[in-house]
């Protein structure tokens, strides 16, 4: 494989106004705590004794330009852009996606075509039947390689993990996202955290370039990092949560949980 590629995404969580830029960012994500909002590394049981609820706003900024990243930059059918952001605040009993594991049918549809409805239903079913998902949230698609989208989410002390996915458009089945980021740290909600994120291959399509035609992977593979020679994305950065100083402030209006209709996406177009 050779040299490990630079991260396609970087997440930084901090107090209001502390969204910093480090290097050439492809994405910038700002999560701002609107209420009172704690964590353990993934794989360990999260024990959060912070206030029950925490509200965050999230701003996701794309910085994928042809000037900064010209290598095979997609200009047509469709041009470089990003799908809607879709995620959940959940407990350790739930997994939206995980490296080296198979994606669900819903995530396959999302990673390949940007279709969010099946994935939404899977998350809502986990909320209703297993009570492992506290809230589902979404942000509209970004219709170009550069731009911004935002949403709000609520975390619970028993559901302090956050996961989300954003499809790389166009691409075979590549996406970026977070798997089970814990916002809680013991008896308090996190105020700042930085995480490097990399492009992932959902393991359902075997295309080699952004605009490859549909070529199903049979049998289906697990989620992996694409081979180094296929990683055409640059480093990026995500500034994130800021906790509000007044936990007793009135709650923000609940976010629109309906996934935005993604821009044209597609393999084989």
């Amino acid at each position: 494989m050779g040299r490990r590629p630079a991260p396609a995404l970087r997440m930084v969580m901090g107090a209001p106004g502390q969204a910093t830029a480090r290097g050439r960012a492809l994405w910038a994500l700002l999560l701002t705590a609107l209420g009172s909002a704690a964590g353990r590394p993934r794989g360990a049981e999260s024990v959060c004794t912070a206030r029950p609820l925490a509200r965050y706003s999230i701003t996701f900024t794309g910085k994928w330009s042809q000037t900064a990243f010209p290598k095979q930059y997609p200009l047509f059918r469709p041009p470089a852009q990003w799908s809607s952001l879709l995620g959940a605040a959940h407990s350790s009993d739930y997994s939206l996606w995980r490296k080296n594991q198979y994606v669900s049918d819903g995530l396959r549809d999302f990673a390949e075509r940007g279709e969010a409805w099946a994935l939404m239903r899977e998350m809502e079913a986990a909320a209703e039947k297993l009570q492992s998902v506290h809230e589902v949230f979404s942000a509209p698609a970004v219709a170009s390689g550069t731009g911004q989208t935002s949403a709000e989410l609520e975390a619970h002390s028993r559901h302090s993990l956050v996961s989300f996915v954003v499809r790389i458009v166009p691409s075979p089945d590549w996406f970026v996202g977070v798997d089970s980021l814990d916002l809680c740290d013991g008896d308090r909600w996190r105020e700042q955290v930085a995480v490097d994120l990399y492009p992932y291959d959902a393991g359902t399509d075997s295309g080699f370039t952004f605009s490859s035609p549909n070529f199903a992977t049979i049998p289906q593979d697990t989620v992996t990092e694409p081979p180094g020679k296929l990683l055409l994305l640059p480093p990026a950065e995500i500034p994130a949560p800021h906790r509000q100083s007044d936990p007793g402030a009135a709650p923000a209006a609940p976010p629109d949980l309906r996934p935005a209709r993604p821009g044209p996406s597609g393999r084989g177009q």
Side-chain angles (χ1 to χ4, degrees):
M1 294 285 292
R3 183 180 177 184
R4 180 178 176 81
L9 210 66
R10 181 172 180 80
M11 176 178 251
V12 180
M13 302 171 69
Q18 291 181 343
T20 58
R22 299 180 182 178
R24 295 191 305 167
L26 178 65
W27 275 103
L29 176 65
L30 178 65
L31 276 160
T32 304
L34 301 175
S36 101
R40 294 288 177 270
R42 197 186 70 203
E45 186 66 24
S46 175
V47 179
C48 179
T49 58
R51 292 175 179 267
L53 297 177
R55 290 182 301 277
Y56 289 87
S57 68
I58 179 171
T59 301
F60 203 48
T61 304
K63 298 183 179 180
W64 184 19
S65 70
Q66 184 180 18
T67 300
F69 312 107
K71 186 176 182 181
Q72 296 194 24
Y73 188 84
L75 296 172
F76 310 103
R77 301 184 178 180
Q81 57 191 275
W82 301 87
S83 77
S84 55
L85 179 153
L86 189 59
H90 58 91
S91 68
S92 58
D93 297 328
Y94 176 78
S95 175
L96 176 61
W97 67 275
R98 186 147 297 168
K99 184 179 177 181
N100 299 325
Q101 293 188 11
Y102 295 102
V103 299
S104 65
D105 291 342
L107 187 49
R108 178 198 61 209
D109 291 349
F110 186 79
E112 289 191 11
R113 298 183 296 275
E115 296 176 0
W117 304 112
L119 185 56
M120 284 282 291
R121 288 195 295 270
E122 290 175 355
M123 290 192 287
E124 290 169 351
E128 295 172 3
K129 297 177 181 179
L130 304 176
Q131 298 186 338
S132 57
V133 170
H134 174 71
E135 182 178 59
V136 174
F137 60 90
S138 66
V142 177
S144 64
T146 60
Q148 193 171 83
T149 187
S150 61
E152 294 184 356
L153 67 97
E154 181 180 83
H156 187 274
S157 57
R158 294 194 304 274
H159 304 82
S160 61
L161 306 179
V162 171
S163 298
F164 70 79
V165 288
V166 178
R167 179 176 185 258
I168 299 170
V169 181
S171 77
D173 58 347
W174 303 340
F175 66 93
V176 294
V178 160
D179 170 24
S180 303
L181 173 67
D182 201 338
L183 297 178
C184 190
D185 189 11
D187 62 354
R188 62 186 178 85
W189 292 100
R190 291 192 179 199
E191 301 215 8
Q192 187 174 67
V193 64
V195 181
D196 286 335
L197 305 178
Y198 293 81
Y200 281 93
D201 185 322
T204 62
D205 195 291
S206 298
F208 286 93
T209 64
F210 286 118
S211 300
S212 293
N214 185 31
F215 184 58
T217 300
I218 301 175
Q220 180 177 333
D221 202 353
T222 58
V223 174
T224 60
E225 295 175 11
K229 65 180 181 180
L230 304 184
L231 289 178
L232 309 177
L233 299 179
E237 174 174 289
I238 304 183
H242 315 312
R243 202 175 56 159
Q244 180 173 298
S245 58
D246 179 13
D256 184 354
L257 300 183
R258 296 172 298 175
R261 181 182 298 275
S265 58
R267 320 270 327 262
Q269 296 186 15

